[in-house]
Amino acid sequence: MNILITGGAGYIGSHTCVELLNAGYNIVVVDNLSNSSQLSLHRVRKITGKDFLFYKADIRDKNALETIFHDNQIGAVIHFAGLKAVGESVSMPLKYYQNNVAGTVTLCEVMEKHGVFHLVFSSSATVYGEQECVPVNEDSTLHATNPYGRTKLMIEDILRDLSNSDSNWSVALLRYFNPVGAHESGRIGEDPNGLPNNLVPYITQVAVGKLSELQVFGSDYPTADGTGVRDYIHVVDLAVGHIKALDKVLFSKGINAYNLGTGNGYSVLEMVHAFEEVIGRPIPYRLCVRRPGDIAISYADVRKAKLELGWEATKGINEMCKDSWRWQVENPNGYKEKYSEKMK
Ligand code: NAD
Ligand code: WQD
């Protein structure tokens, strides 16, 4: 049996491929490389010493998916493929609804046709919007505040409808908090295109000298130091969470949402200081106005994942910073300028 990984060349997908291969699963990867490089998969093979099939295809291409399901014994799908830039989703909403929502519908149609009903889906804590109570648990009201978030909410709804319509389906909706860090080998990590949107890649690019200073978005939030608080989770912990969720969907029915976070919140300045400790020098930053659409505090209630999946995060912010930094230093331009690296 093979596990199909959509979006497996991406940041979280590539780390999950490593953990799956190390755990003895056979995988097949499909990715259109719209936001990734095939080099990440080459490195997954190097890290694990294991091989797997890769299809360069778009999940909206039904014929391509048909071929993949026809030619490989797919037993379950872990579905990462999607666009994720919040700002871009505001200016290009149709691109997001088309890619994320229509892509997932096509994937589910092909799964259904081939009798594959086990699905682990990359949702996001963004589906909670601004919450009155933290930590936020899976039963909290759902409320997205931008088109990207709405694609996640719509897909969750579609998957709930699908599960209600046919009890064969078994689905895990994994609501990630803020994934950061990289594989400890320094070989795979997050490779944003252009100016990073997210805090950690921005900090590491300032620290490596590619950007001059970090803008801290807001210092007047109702938090201990006035800066926004988030639940940063190491990407390898997150990857392991997918294996636990896969085990769950393979041996049960129905649909369940799980928060994947650490349960701890850190402010922007706490993250800056944690990096300064790892790097051994100050990181230039400037306190600025709030970024529109940001919330003050977000961190997860992680009890459900622990109870039902037997999973909890093990890596703290020191490891997150160390591993992000190693990846940044060893790959200052991400996967770019490395095309000479021998590919199989
Ligand atoms: P990523 O961009 O690194 O990976 C996504 C991968 O999907 C890329 O390799 C991209 O080329 C591929 N892809 C996109 N559209 C596709 C399509 N139509 N067909 C085939 N491949 C396609 O992003 P990531 O950070 O690894 O995120 C993975 C998933 O997790 C996404 O669905 C994202 O929305 C979700 N998520 C990410 C975060 C985060 O902060 N990184 C947080 C919550 C949820
Ligand atoms: C974290 C904190 C910023 C950059 C986003 C998406 C969310 C999810 C994860 C996919 C906030 C502050 C940031 C900077 C800063 N993605 N910050 N200067 O906004 O919590 O979540 O990524 O599902 O949907 O919205 O993450 O890393 O952008 O910000 O001060 O240059 O860092 O204001 O407090 P966020 P982030």
Side-chain angles (χ1 to χ4, degrees):
M1 178 186 82
N2 289 301
I3 311 300
L4 179 65
I5 316 296
T6 77
Y11 171 45
I12 305 169
S14 56
H15 288 81
T16 305
C17 289
V18 167
E19 297 307 317
L20 284 163
L21 291 166
N22 283 342
Y25 287 95
N26 296 316
I27 65 169
V28 171
V29 172
V30 57
D31 198 303
N32 64 2
L33 304 181
S34 60
N35 195 39
S36 52
S37 160
Q38 206 177 324
L39 194 49
S40 66
L41 296 175
H42 173 61
R43 292 187 180 179
V44 167
R45 293 187 181 98
K46 289 279 183 205
I47 292 168
T48 61
K50 297 192 177 158
D51 204 2
F52 53 87
L53 275 184
F54 167 62
Y55 291 84
K56 182 176 184 297
D58 194 296
I59 57 161
R60 291 166 294 173
D61 180 346
K62 206 169 197 170
N63 291 333
L65 282 189
E66 289 280 2
T67 304
I68 296 170
F69 278 80
H70 179 269
D71 292 354
N72 300 279
Q73 272 202 323
I74 305 297
V77 178
I78 305 183
H79 177 30
F80 294 102
L83 300 172
K84 62 168 182 177
V86 173
E88 186 187 57
S89 81
V90 174
S91 56
M92 305 174 87
L94 290 178
K95 181 176 172 184
Y96 277 68
Y97 292 120
Q98 169 61 232
N99 193 82
N100 294 5
V101 180
T104 302
V105 170
T106 303
L107 173 69
C108 290
E109 284 171 347
V110 178
M111 287 178 70
E112 191 171 53
K113 182 174 167 194
H114 290 263
V116 179
F117 295 105
H118 306 296
L119 177 65
V120 176
F121 170 62
S122 297
S123 187
S124 168
T126 194
V127 298
Y128 294 122
E130 177 105 60
Q131 288 291 315
E132 276 173 14
C133 297
V134 279
V136 60
N137 71 40
E138 290 83 352
D139 296 327
S140 306
T141 50
L142 302 180
H143 170 69
T145 55
N146 56 67
Y148 164 72
R150 275 187 279 280
T151 68
K152 293 296 179 191
L153 213 44
M154 284 178 191
I155 295 167
E156 284 205 4
D157 281 337
I158 290 167
L159 296 176
R160 272 185 282 270
D161 287 341
L162 205 51
S163 295
N164 289 336
S165 73
D166 181 345
S167 62
N168 279 312
W169 281 93
S170 178
V171 180
L173 309 170
L174 301 185
R175 296 178 181 154
Y176 315 152
F177 279 67
N178 288 60
V180 298
H183 192 261
E184 63 173 5
S185 65
R187 303 293 286 154
I188 55 173
E190 186 171 12
D191 181 18
N193 265 329
L195 206 60
N197 295 313
N198 297 111
L199 178 67
V200 166
Y202 208 104
I203 290 179
T204 57
Q205 291 198 15
V206 169
V208 85
K210 286 177 77 176
L211 298 169
S212 58
E213 66 175 7
L214 171 74
Q215 296 180 52
V216 175
F217 297 140
S219 53
D220 57 350
Y221 284 111
T223 61
D225 63 19
T227 66
V229 168
R230 296 291 183 274
D231 186 338
Y232 298 95
I233 173 163
H234 196 294
V235 66
V236 172
D237 273 336
L238 198 60
V240 172
H242 289 74
I243 298 191
K244 299 288 186 184
L246 178 65
D247 292 343
K248 169 89 178 171
V249 298
L250 284 173
F251 299 106
S252 63
K253 294 275 167 69
I255 184 163
N256 268 294
Y258 297 101
N259 285 343
L260 297 188
T262 63
N264 302 310
Y266 289 95
S267 74
V268 175
L269 289 182
E270 282 175 318
M271 290 303 281
V272 169
H273 297 322
F275 266 102
E276 288 175 333
E277 234 171 72
V278 164
I279 294 165
R281 55 190 152 79
I283 291 168
Y285 70 83
R286 188 162 46 95
L287 301 180
C288 303
V289 295
R290 295 180 181 192
R291 184 171 64 177
D294 270 358
I295 58 177
I297 305 179
S298 164
Y299 58 95
D301 181 333
V302 292
R303 287 174 298 177
K304 188 176 174 192
K306 186 174 181 187
L307 196 69
E308 295 186 17
L309 303 180
W311 172 88
E312 63 184 327
T314 59
K315 295 173 187 288
I317 54 166
N318 184 264
E319 237 173 313
M320 299 180 206
C321 296
K322 263 192 199 153
D323 291 340
S324 297
W325 183 234
R326 187 184 302 109
W327 158 254
Q328 176 69 67
V329 169
E330 293 181 9
N331 309 268
N333 297 310
Y335 293 112
K336 294 159 207 86
E337 294 175 13
K338 290 272 185 171
Y339 293 118
S340 57
E341 190 170 322
K342 200 166 177 295
M343 307 257 288
K344 255 209 270 185

